[in-house]
Amino acid sequence: MTSNQPTPYPRTFSHIGISVPDLDAAVKFYTEVMGWYLIMEPTDITEDDSAIGEMCTDVFGAGWEHFRIAHLSTGDRIGVELFEFKNQQNPEDNFEYWKTGVFHFCVQDPNLEELAEKIVAAGGKKRMKAPRYYYPGEKPYRMIYMEDPFGNIVEIYSHSYELHYSSGAYNG
């Protein structure tokens, strides 16, 4: 049986939205520690009848009142929206990996040890004692889980996602 449906293709990743308790501190962290570009300064958004106000009401429902947002971009042009909402609640432990939803995002840095130390120096913390090598003694691929100063979980890979998993990363 032949299908007339087009073959699906891999979509590219556009951006991720991250809630933070202090937008200015987050912009400073993500630009100075992660090296991301600030492409739109922190901006106040208010619940009103403007186009952005109506769009946010569609998404959040009525009564959100206001929030602050900034837009950044990674070195490979992935967008990062940072949100600071009124009455923001910061969980004691933001690592509820067993719950549905995004529990981390991953960045790539060939010197992940140095980036991990920069994150700690900026107020974040390590979620692992030391990086894990995927192919010890064979390949230099490694990773580590971290937490940014705002409680968001950040994983760091030394090499590309494809290199980590194309050889069966869980076999060793």
Side-chain angles (χ1 to χ4, degrees):
M1 176 180 239
T2 305
S3 172
N4 291 334
Q5 294 182 343
T7 303
Y9 58 91
R11 285 6 183 241
T12 57
F13 203 89
S14 172
H15 71 276
I16 186 170
I18 302 172
S19 292
V20 296
D22 182 334
L23 186 65
D24 297 311
V27 166
K28 180 177 172 58
F29 172 80
Y30 283 111
T31 57
E32 292 180 6
V33 175
M34 302 300 267
W36 296 347
Y37 306 104
L38 179 63
I39 58 175
M40 190 181 95
E41 295 283 336
T43 303
D44 294 314
I45 306 295
T46 304
E47 186 174 13
D48 58 20
D49 60 359
S50 67
I52 188 68
E54 289 181 359
M55 186 273 299
C56 291
T57 299
D58 287 347
V59 174
F60 305 134
W64 55 272
E65 295 180 24
H66 62 86
F67 65 87
R68 295 180 70 220
I69 187 170
H71 293 266
L72 294 89
S73 182
T74 66
D76 55 346
R77 302 186 320 245
I78 302 300
V80 180
E81 292 177 313
L82 297 176
F83 292 87
E84 178 187 329
F85 292 101
K86 74 173 188 78
N87 301 324
Q88 185 118 6
Q89 296 179 3
N90 301 311
E92 276 188 41
D93 184 1
N94 206 24
F95 197 59
E96 295 179 330
Y97 57 88
W98 61 92
K99 292 186 177 180
T100 300
V102 176
F103 78 85
H104 77 277
F105 63 91
C106 186
V107 298
Q108 184 177 318
D109 189 319
N111 190 348
L112 69 82
E113 295 83 1
E114 182 179 316
L115 178 55
E117 292 309 317
K118 285 182 179 179
I119 291 171
V120 170
K125 66 181 183 181
K126 292 181 179 179
R127 298 291 309 198
M128 300 168 60
K129 292 177 187 173
R132 175 186 185 269
Y133 279 77
Y134 275 91
Y135 307 95
E138 182 184 342
K139 297 177 183 177
Y141 308 160
R142 55 206 189 285
M143 58 77 69
I144 190 168
Y145 272 92
M146 303 293 296
E147 189 171 312
D148 75 8
F150 318 103
N152 297 299
I153 307 303
V154 180
E155 185 177 16
I156 309 170
Y157 273 14
S158 61
H159 293 76
S160 73
Y161 187 80
E162 291 87 355
L163 286 175
H164 275 268
Y165 293 103
S166 63
S167 299
Y170 301 129
N171 294 337

